[in-house]
Coordinates of all heavy atoms in Angstrom, one line a residue:
I174 N -24.9 196.3 182.1 CA -25.5 195.2 182.9 C -26.8 194.8 182.2 O -27.7 195.6 182.2 CB -25.7 195.6 184.3 CG1 -24.3 196.1 184.9 CG2 -26.2 194.5 185.1 CD1 -24.4 196.7 186.3
N175 N -26.9 193.6 181.8 CA -28.0 193.2 180.9 C -28.9 192.1 181.6 O -28.5 191.4 182.5 CB -27.5 192.6 179.6 CG -26.8 193.7 178.8 OD1 -27.3 194.8 178.8 ND2 -25.8 193.4 178.1
A176 N -30.1 192.1 181.1 CA -31.1 191.1 181.6 C -30.9 189.7 180.9 O -30.2 189.7 179.9 CB -32.5 191.6 181.4
F177 N -31.5 188.7 181.4 CA -31.3 187.4 180.9 C -32.1 187.1 179.6 O -31.7 186.2 178.8 CB -31.7 186.3 181.9 CG -33.2 186.3 182.2 CD1 -34.1 185.7 181.4 CD2 -33.7 187.0 183.3 CE1 -35.5 185.8 181.6 CE2 -35.1 187.1 183.6 CZ -35.9 186.5 182.7
N178 N -33.0 187.9 179.2 CA -34.0 187.5 178.2 C -33.5 187.7 176.8 O -33.8 186.9 175.9 CB -35.3 188.2 178.4 CG -35.2 189.7 178.4 OD1 -34.1 190.2 178.6 ND2 -36.3 190.4 178.3
F179 N -32.6 188.6 176.5 CA -32.0 188.8 175.2 C -30.5 188.8 175.3 O -29.9 189.9 175.3 CB -32.6 190.0 174.5 CG -34.0 189.9 174.1 CD1 -35.0 190.5 174.8 CD2 -34.4 189.1 173.0 CE1 -36.4 190.4 174.5 CE2 -35.7 188.9 172.7 CZ -36.7 189.5 173.4
P180 N -29.9 187.7 175.4 CA -28.4 187.6 175.7 C -27.6 188.2 174.5 O -26.5 188.7 174.8 CB -28.1 186.2 175.8 CG -29.4 185.4 175.9 CD -30.5 186.3 175.4
V181 N -28.1 188.2 173.3 CA -27.3 188.8 172.2 C -27.8 190.2 171.9 O -27.0 191.2 172.0 CB -27.4 187.9 170.9 CG1 -26.7 188.6 169.8 CG2 -26.8 186.5 171.2
W182 N -29.1 190.4 171.6 CA -29.6 191.7 171.3 C -29.3 192.7 172.4 O -28.9 193.8 172.2 CB -31.1 191.6 171.0 CG -31.7 193.0 170.7 CD1 -31.7 193.7 169.6 CD2 -32.3 193.8 171.7 NE1 -32.3 194.9 169.7 CE2 -32.7 195.0 171.0 CE3 -32.6 193.7 173.1 CZ2 -33.4 196.0 171.7 CZ3 -33.3 194.7 173.7 CH2 -33.7 195.9 173.0
G183 N -29.6 192.2 173.7 CA -29.4 193.1 174.8 C -28.0 193.6 174.9 O -27.8 194.8 175.3
M184 N -27.0 192.8 174.5 CA -25.6 193.3 174.6 C -25.4 194.2 173.4 O -24.8 195.3 173.6 CB -24.7 192.1 174.5 CG -23.3 192.6 174.1 SD -22.0 191.3 173.9 CE -22.7 190.2 172.7
L185 N -25.8 193.8 172.2 CA -25.4 194.6 171.0 C -26.2 195.9 170.9 O -25.6 196.9 170.4 CB -25.7 193.8 169.7 CG -24.8 192.5 169.6 CD1 -25.1 191.7 168.3 CD2 -23.3 192.8 169.7
E186 N -27.4 196.0 171.4 CA -28.1 197.3 171.4 C -27.5 198.4 172.2 O -27.6 199.5 172.0 CB -29.6 197.1 171.7 CG -30.0 196.7 173.1 CD -30.4 197.8 174.0 OE1 -30.5 198.9 173.6 OE2 -30.5 197.5 175.2
K187 N -26.7 197.9 173.2 CA -26.0 198.9 174.1 C -24.6 199.1 173.5 O -24.1 200.2 173.5 CB -25.9 198.4 175.5 CG -27.1 198.4 176.3 CD -26.8 197.9 177.7 CE -27.8 198.3 178.8 NZ -29.1 197.6 178.6
F188 N -24.0 198.0 173.1 CA -22.6 198.1 172.6 C -22.5 199.0 171.3 O -21.6 199.8 171.2 CB -22.1 196.7 172.3 CG -20.8 196.6 171.5 CD1 -19.6 196.9 172.2 CD2 -20.7 196.4 170.1 CE1 -18.4 196.9 171.5 CE2 -19.5 196.3 169.4 CZ -18.4 196.6 170.1
A189 N -23.4 198.8 170.4 CA -23.3 199.5 169.1 C -23.2 201.0 169.3 O -22.3 201.7 168.8 CB -24.4 199.1 168.1
P190 N -24.2 201.7 170.0 CA -24.1 203.1 170.1 C -22.9 203.6 170.9 O -22.3 204.6 170.6 CB -25.4 203.5 170.8 CG -26.0 202.3 171.3 CD -25.4 201.2 170.5
A191 N -22.5 202.8 171.9 CA -21.3 203.2 172.7 C -20.1 203.1 171.8 O -19.2 204.0 171.9 CB -21.1 202.2 173.9
F192 N -20.0 202.1 171.0 CA -18.8 201.9 170.1 C -18.7 203.1 169.1 O -17.7 203.7 168.9 CB -18.9 200.6 169.3 CG -17.7 200.2 168.6 CD1 -16.6 199.6 169.2 CD2 -17.5 200.5 167.2 CE1 -15.5 199.2 168.5 CE2 -16.4 200.2 166.5 CZ -15.4 199.5 167.2
V193 N -19.9 203.5 168.5 CA -19.8 204.6 167.5 C -19.5 205.9 168.3 O -18.8 206.7 167.7 CB -21.2 204.7 166.8 CG1 -21.2 206.0 165.9 CG2 -21.5 203.5 166.0
A194 N -19.9 206.0 169.5 CA -19.6 207.2 170.3 C -18.1 207.2 170.7 O -17.6 208.2 171.3 CB -20.4 207.2 171.6
G195 N -17.4 206.1 170.5 CA -16.0 206.1 170.9 C -15.7 205.7 172.4 O -14.7 206.0 172.9
V196 N -16.7 205.0 172.9 CA -16.6 204.6 174.4 C -16.5 203.1 174.5 O -17.4 202.4 174.0 CB -17.8 205.1 175.2 CG1 -17.8 204.7 176.6 CG2 -17.9 206.6 175.1
P197 N -15.5 202.6 175.2 CA -15.3 201.1 175.3 C -16.4 200.5 176.3 O -16.8 201.2 177.2 CB -13.9 200.9 175.9 CG -13.6 202.2 176.5 CD -14.4 203.3 175.8
S198 N -16.8 199.3 176.0 CA -17.8 198.6 176.8 C -17.2 197.5 177.7 O -16.4 196.8 177.3 CB -18.9 198.0 175.9 OG -19.5 199.0 175.1
I199 N -17.8 197.5 178.9 CA -17.6 196.3 179.8 C -18.9 195.7 179.9 O -19.8 196.3 180.5 CB -17.0 196.7 181.1 CG1 -15.7 197.4 181.0 CG2 -16.8 195.4 182.0 CD1 -15.0 197.9 182.3

Side-chain angles (χ1 to χ4, degrees):
I174 302 175
N175 294 324
F177 64 82
N178 55 347
F179 288 107
V181 176
W182 176 85
M184 165 181 57
L185 296 179
E186 63 99 6
K187 287 181 163 70
F188 169 76
F192 189 85
V193 175
V196 177
S198 300
I199 301 178

